[in-house]
Amino acid sequence: FHMKRGEKIAILGETGSGKSTLIQLIPRLYEPTKGYIFIDNQNIFTIDKKELRQAIGLVSQEAHLFTGTIRDNIQWGKENAADEEIVEAAKKANIHDFIMTLPNEYETEVGQRGVNLSGGQKQRLSLARALVRRPKILLLDDSTSALDANTEMSVLQAIRNLACTTFIVAQKISSVMEADQILLLKDGRLVATGTHEQLLRDNAFYQSIYHSQIKEEVLHYDE
């Protein structure tokens, strides 16, 4: 597959279809056994690994926080980040307002692994950490799964306004409907690409996922 700079690319598929593996190939957390990956027409194996990873922000489904302050955890994404950059990243991740309700605001201590934060708060802090480095490529591995629908919508809207190329791994079609491209994976293979409208019109597998999710949402509402 190919994408243009600044596009928002969604990766959708069943559990075990290879979504996380695909995006982890980009920063070379995995090395491909065949084939090639190019960024700006340059084979990533000719790019220094440290330089490559400095241009990438990765947010996984399981947020990794460490003991220290909220400021420390965000600043880990960019060691020399100024206060203004930290606040800006927190706002884009929709976590700034919550931070300001804490007694010590950005100086609030985060317990080991963020034990005193909810899953959604940890995910948004991890996102702020990735955003503060202003990455050229942003990789989101199901990293809004713990957010409620309204918060997720706000975060995704902020991401859509970013200049960087973004990959969004998601379980819910509702999270990726506005992506420039959707990559549909099945059993470790790319089976279709297109916009939401194109896939909903032309791809039976995508149609089945869409209708099953819509049915689940209706049943949940009825309950």
Side-chain angles (χ1 to χ4, degrees):
F1 60 89
H2 300 81
M3 79 285 305
K4 297 176 182 177
R5 182 180 306 204
E7 281 192 331
K8 310 308 176 200
I9 310 299
I11 305 173
L12 202 70
E14 299 169 330
T15 301
S17 60
K19 302 184 296 295
S20 295
T21 301
L22 174 57
I23 65 166
Q24 288 176 11
L25 287 166
I26 297 171
R28 294 180 62 185
L29 299 180
Y30 289 142
E31 304 285 15
T33 53
K34 62 180 180 179
Y36 301 95
I37 301 170
F38 291 86
I39 297 176
D40 292 336
N41 295 319
Q42 186 176 0
N43 189 326
I44 63 171
F45 292 104
T46 67
I47 305 173
D48 176 76
K49 190 178 289 188
K50 182 178 180 181
E51 179 185 343
L52 173 68
R53 291 176 178 174
Q54 284 178 339
I56 294 172
L58 171 62
V59 187
S60 59
Q61 181 177 8
E62 183 180 351
H64 298 284
L65 303 180
F66 56 85
T67 302
T69 66
I70 286 177
R71 180 189 305 279
D72 293 337
N73 272 273
I74 297 176
Q75 200 168 28
W76 193 51
K78 182 182 178 183
E79 291 182 0
N80 61 346
D83 289 349
E84 295 79 9
E85 294 177 285
I86 293 171
V87 171
E88 179 186 5
K91 287 180 176 178
K92 288 178 179 177
N94 201 15
I95 191 69
H96 171 75
D97 289 347
F98 164 73
I99 294 171
M100 297 306 290
T101 67
L102 299 173
N104 296 316
E105 300 177 351
Y106 281 84
E107 302 307 322
T108 300
E109 289 287 330
V110 175
Q112 189 174 13
R113 294 180 177 271
V115 67
N116 51 348
L117 299 174
S118 71
Q121 290 159 358
K122 288 188 281 189
Q123 283 189 337
R124 284 180 284 159
L125 271 180
S126 294
L127 178 58
R129 174 193 295 163
L131 295 179
V132 78
R133 69 194 307 160
R134 297 185 180 178
K136 294 180 180 178
I137 299 173
L138 180 63
L139 309 175
L140 305 179
D141 189 0
D142 205 16
S143 54
T144 60
S145 58
L147 305 184
D148 63 72
N150 289 334
T151 303
E152 182 186 39
M153 187 180 302
S154 298
V155 169
L156 292 176
Q157 182 58 51
I159 290 168
R160 279 193 288 271
N161 293 330
L162 298 177
C164 60
T165 304
T166 306
F167 291 82
I168 305 172
V169 171
Q171 302 290 343
K172 298 177 293 184
I173 287 180
S174 59
S175 302
V176 300
M177 290 171 61
E178 295 187 27
D180 297 302
Q181 285 189 66
I182 297 173
L183 310 182
L184 187 60
L185 302 188
K186 187 175 184 181
D187 299 327
R189 293 184 176 275
L190 179 64
V191 296
T193 64
T195 63
H196 167 70
E197 291 76 14
Q198 291 169 336
L199 292 174
L200 192 58
R201 183 186 66 229
D202 301 330
N203 188 272
F205 181 44
Y206 189 83
Q207 292 167 1
S208 68
I209 296 174
Y210 176 78
H211 290 301
S212 68
Q213 290 188 2
I214 292 299
K215 185 177 180 180
E216 286 178 8
E217 288 178 9
V218 171
L219 288 173
H220 179 71
Y221 180 77
D222 288 342
E223 291 172 358

